[in-house]
Amino acid sequence: MAELAACPKEQLREREDAFHIQRVERLWSGGHLLRGREPGSGDLQLMSNDYLCIQNEPALREAQAEALLNSKTDLLMSSVFTMKGSPMQQLEAAFADYMQGEEAIICQSGFTANVGLLQSIASPSVPVYLDMNAHASLWEGVKAAGARGIPFRHNSPDHAERLIRRYGPGVLVVDTVYSTDGSLCPLAAIVDVATRTGCVLVVDESHSLGTHGPGGAGLAVALGLADRIDFRTASLAKTFAGRAGLIVCSRRFKEYFRMESNPAIFSSGLLEHEYVWFLEALALIRRADDRRERLREVSDIVRWRLDELGFDVGGGTEQIIAIESGNEPDTLKMRDALQGSGVFGAVFCPPATPRNHCLVRLSVHSGLTDEELDTLTTRCADALKLLKEVMA
């Protein structure tokens, strides 16, 4: 008689134990890697993706509040039922114009945009080639499609092309600015690979939309490549400081997507005050060249100073600055040293990073003053001194 499979409840308990005993108690010594001390009023908090500091803009808040107070009751339903002329379609048209695309689709989040897109364009017979640092949502989209995900070396168009020549054309997937280390995609070379090999190209602009290109229209527009990319996606929870996602695509694909993407079909759409926020934010971001210039300056200064102090900031170049911290116990020590000195970043650990390759990520923004940059430098120097003492 065949042995019965292990009880599902016992399997769940084993998985819970693996987290609570092996990870929390042993690796983290009873603490929590993602939750240290609470930041105080004098601490520098560099965890937000609000790169251009629009979240507290009075005009945006007032417009959203007015819409919330005065708009008629919204219909809580899937966005696939939305009619022409709706606030959603007005926003989609505005983003399509902004990003020099034919059409745009507003999704519930950047995650659902990526999952829904790949679920609707890939399949078990279509290989998907992803930069090994591509966002987790893109990998989840591959799973949703039942497709084979084939990773290629980070920022290596040559390696991507060799794999495509070996396994055949499929879907090629990259980010423009990678969320773990702030590295910039060699987008022109990737576009050339997709063209030569006949691949469908998906480009995630989550961390470049609003911060790069003319008016913040993204890296693809900055490089004149918008019409050579099949799909561009973005989370609007970064520079646009809201809660939604975006796909730029063809008009023909848009109608197909609404009938094929499970996240689009089975999730409710946004509410009117959220559409108002994004329209107001788009108008502000288009004219925010001074903030983009300041963000570039701040990014360069912080990255250079941390490197000079002796922190390993990897190969990034943009507003996301990742400090390499190694395994989880060492990362706990680095986090505590930084927080003890008044600097708060976001800890990235498995499953967001490979095992023993954790990061403390600092996300800088355009609102940092010269005085705050000096304070950050001093505090990071203090943290490094403390860290060396703890690690000795």
Side-chain angles (χ1 to χ4, degrees):
M1 183 175 178
E3 291 186 13
L4 293 175
C7 173
K9 289 187 177 181
E10 291 179 1
Q11 290 181 335
L12 175 58
R13 175 57 65 91
E14 289 175 1
R15 294 176 70 176
E16 290 174 344
D17 286 348
F19 171 73
H20 288 287
I21 297 174
Q22 297 176 23
R23 206 167 186 189
V24 176
E25 292 182 16
R26 295 177 183 172
L27 281 178
W28 302 351
S29 302
H32 199 293
L33 190 58
L34 304 185
R35 294 192 292 273
R37 76 171 180 86
E38 289 291 321
S41 59
D43 292 325
L44 291 172
Q45 298 187 54
L46 301 177
M47 299 169 285
S48 174
N49 296 318
D50 181 14
Y51 300 126
L52 300 184
C53 301
I54 72 167
Q55 200 169 10
N56 292 319
E57 278 291 321
L60 272 64
R61 288 188 163 219
E62 289 166 10
Q64 189 175 45
E66 183 179 355
L68 187 62
L69 291 171
N70 299 324
S71 65
K72 64 182 183 298
T73 302
D74 291 301
L75 296 175
L76 297 176
M77 62 182 185
S78 170
S79 60
V80 301
F81 298 113
T82 305
M83 306 299 285
K84 289 184 178 180
S86 67
M88 183 185 80
Q89 293 203 354
Q90 293 174 32
L91 182 60
E92 288 174 339
F95 268 110
D97 174 73
Y98 177 51
M99 297 176 68
Q100 299 180 17
E102 185 175 302
E103 272 287 0
I105 304 169
I106 293 296
C107 301
Q108 294 76 17
S109 68
F111 195 97
T112 60
N114 281 339
V115 171
L117 175 61
L118 284 167
Q119 175 244 311
S120 60
I121 64 176
S123 70
S125 63
V126 176
V128 183
Y129 303 92
L130 305 98
D131 185 292
M132 62 187 299
N133 285 4
H135 192 267
S137 58
L138 296 163
W139 291 94
E140 287 299 315
V142 175
K143 293 180 185 178
R148 179 186 180 188
I150 302 174
F152 61 88
R153 284 195 291 273
H154 178 50
N155 275 349
S156 177
D158 291 342
H159 188 223
E161 185 163 4
R162 288 198 299 273
L163 290 172
I164 296 167
R165 299 293 182 192
R166 182 185 306 170
Y167 298 111
V171 182
L172 179 57
V173 182
V174 296
D175 294 19
T176 46
V177 173
Y178 287 89
S179 60
T180 49
D181 65 356
S183 56
L184 192 69
C185 175
L187 188 58
I190 288 290
V191 169
D192 287 342
V193 169
T195 301
R196 284 194 299 271
T197 59
C199 283
V200 173
L201 181 56
V202 175
V203 174
D204 187 326
E205 290 242 43
S206 292
H207 294 277
S208 58
L209 186 63
T211 58
H212 293 64
L219 187 64
V221 173
L223 299 176
L225 299 171
D227 61 350
R228 297 181 61 193
I229 297 172
D230 299 287
F231 301 100
R232 283 171 286 160
T233 68
S235 165
L236 299 182
K238 315 304 180 190
T239 306
F240 279 81
R243 186 66 63 186
L246 177 72
I247 301 171
V248 176
C249 59
S250 69
R251 187 167 295 110
R252 179 179 174 83
F253 178 81
K254 181 174 180 175
E255 291 307 311
Y256 162 81
F257 178 85
R258 295 216 184 279
M259 296 301 294
E260 292 291 330
S261 166
N262 288 338
I265 296 168
F266 298 108
S267 296
S268 292
L270 307 186
L271 300 177
E272 186 173 345
H273 66 277
E274 295 173 301
Y275 295 118
V276 168
W277 171 273
F278 287 124
L279 282 170
E280 294 291 331
L282 180 54
L284 187 155
I285 288 171
R286 277 182 181 269
R287 60 178 188 270
D289 288 341
D290 56 336
R291 300 193 193 198
R292 277 183 283 276
E293 183 178 350
R294 178 58 179 172
L295 179 64
R296 175 78 270 160
E297 181 182 16
V298 166
S299 302
D300 290 344
I301 289 171
V302 173
R303 189 177 295 279
W304 181 80
R305 289 185 181 179
L306 290 178
D307 183 63
E308 286 290 298
L309 287 173
F311 285 99
D312 182 355
V313 292
T317 57
E318 308 308 298
Q319 69 271 13
I320 296 167
I321 302 171
I323 302 173
E324 301 277 353
S325 53
N327 61 33
E328 293 183 21
D330 287 348
T331 301
L332 263 174
K333 295 171 185 175
M334 177 175 285
R335 182 206 68 187
D336 289 346
L338 286 166
Q339 291 186 357
S341 300
V343 177
F344 284 71
V347 173
F348 275 44
C349 61
T353 67
R355 189 168 177 265
N356 294 327
H357 287 82
C358 301
L359 308 166
V360 178
R361 193 184 81 169
L362 305 182
S363 296
V364 300
H365 55 79
S366 63
L368 287 168
T369 65
D370 290 344
E371 182 181 2
E372 287 173 325
L373 293 180
D374 291 340
T375 299
L376 175 63
T377 304
T378 300
R379 291 181 179 182
C380 285
D382 292 341
L384 189 58
K385 181 180 179 180
L386 177 61
L387 184 63
K388 288 178 178 178
E389 293 175 355
V390 172
M391 301 287 280

